[in-house]
Amino acid sequence: MISEIQVHVIARQMFEKHGLEAIAQAAQNAQACEKKGDTEDAREWRHIEDAMKMMRGPHQS
Protein backbone atom coordinates (compact mmCIF):
# COMPACT_ATOMS: atom_id res chain seq x y z
CA MET A 1 0.00 0.00 0.00
CA ILE A 2 1.41 3.36 -1.00
CA SER A 3 1.14 6.43 1.22
CA GLU A 4 -1.13 9.38 0.57
CA ILE A 5 1.90 11.51 -0.27
CA GLN A 6 3.13 8.97 -2.81
CA VAL A 7 -0.35 8.86 -4.41
CA HIS A 8 -0.29 12.61 -4.92
CA VAL A 9 3.30 12.64 -6.19
CA ILE A 10 2.51 9.95 -8.76
CA ALA A 11 -0.75 11.65 -9.71
CA ARG A 12 0.93 15.04 -10.17
CA GLN A 13 3.76 13.58 -12.25
CA MET A 14 1.37 11.67 -14.51
CA PHE A 15 -0.98 14.65 -14.84
CA GLU A 16 1.85 17.07 -15.69
CA LYS A 17 3.34 14.70 -18.26
CA HIS A 18 0.18 13.41 -19.94
CA GLY A 19 -2.56 15.91 -19.08
CA LEU A 20 -6.15 14.66 -19.01
CA GLU A 21 -5.08 11.47 -20.79
CA ALA A 22 -3.40 10.42 -17.53
CA ILE A 23 -6.79 10.11 -15.83
CA ALA A 24 -7.98 7.68 -18.49
CA GLN A 25 -4.71 5.74 -18.24
CA ALA A 26 -5.07 5.37 -14.48
CA ALA A 27 -8.63 4.09 -14.96
CA GLN A 28 -7.44 1.59 -17.56
CA ASN A 29 -4.67 0.41 -15.24
CA ALA A 30 -7.23 -0.07 -12.46
CA GLN A 31 -9.49 -2.10 -14.76
CA ALA A 32 -6.59 -4.28 -15.85
CA CYS A 33 -5.68 -4.98 -12.23
CA GLU A 34 -9.30 -5.78 -11.40
CA LYS A 35 -9.48 -8.27 -14.27
CA LYS A 36 -6.35 -10.00 -12.92
CA GLY A 37 -7.90 -10.08 -9.44
CA ASP A 38 -5.29 -7.71 -8.02
CA THR A 39 -7.65 -5.63 -5.88
CA GLU A 40 -4.92 -3.82 -3.92
CA ASP A 41 -3.22 -2.43 -7.05
CA ALA A 42 -6.62 -1.59 -8.54
CA ARG A 43 -7.51 0.35 -5.39
CA GLU A 44 -4.24 2.29 -5.61
CA TRP A 45 -4.83 3.16 -9.28
CA ARG A 46 -8.36 4.36 -8.42
CA HIS A 47 -6.87 6.51 -5.66
CA ILE A 48 -4.37 8.01 -8.13
CA GLU A 49 -7.20 8.57 -10.63
CA ASP A 50 -9.24 10.40 -7.97
CA ALA A 51 -6.25 12.57 -7.04
CA MET A 52 -5.80 13.61 -10.68
CA LYS A 53 -9.51 14.43 -10.95
CA MET A 54 -9.12 16.76 -7.96
CA MET A 55 -6.11 18.43 -9.64
CA ARG A 56 -8.15 18.93 -12.80
CA GLY A 57 -10.68 20.97 -10.89
CA PRO A 58 -14.43 21.27 -11.43
CA HIS A 59 -16.04 20.69 -14.79
CA GLN A 60 -16.81 23.80 -16.74
CA SER A 61 -19.76 24.19 -19.07
Side-chain angles (χ1 to χ4, degrees), residues 1-2 33-34 37-46:
M1 184 180 206
I2 59 177
C33 290
E34 289 164 351
D38 192 348
T39 56
E40 183 64 30
D41 281 350
R43 187 177 306 122
E44 289 176 352
W45 278 113
R46 295 288 181 201

Side-chain angles (χ1 to χ4, degrees), residues 9-61:
V9 167
I10 293 166
R12 178 167 280 111
Q13 288 174 344
M14 287 181 67
F15 195 69
E16 288 175 357
K17 186 172 182 180
H18 302 288
L20 296 175
E21 187 66 31
I23 297 171
Q25 184 62 48
Q28 289 172 353
N29 290 346
Q31 287 178 335
C33 290
E34 289 164 351
K35 285 183 180 180
K36 291 188 292 187
D38 192 348
T39 56
E40 183 64 30
D41 281 350
R43 187 177 306 122
E44 289 176 352
W45 278 113
R46 295 288 181 201
H47 199 161
I48 292 167
E49 177 187 4
D50 290 342
M52 284 189 281
K53 286 179 181 177
M54 289 176 57
M55 290 176 199
R56 173 190 64 192
H59 286 92
Q60 296 179 0
S61 58

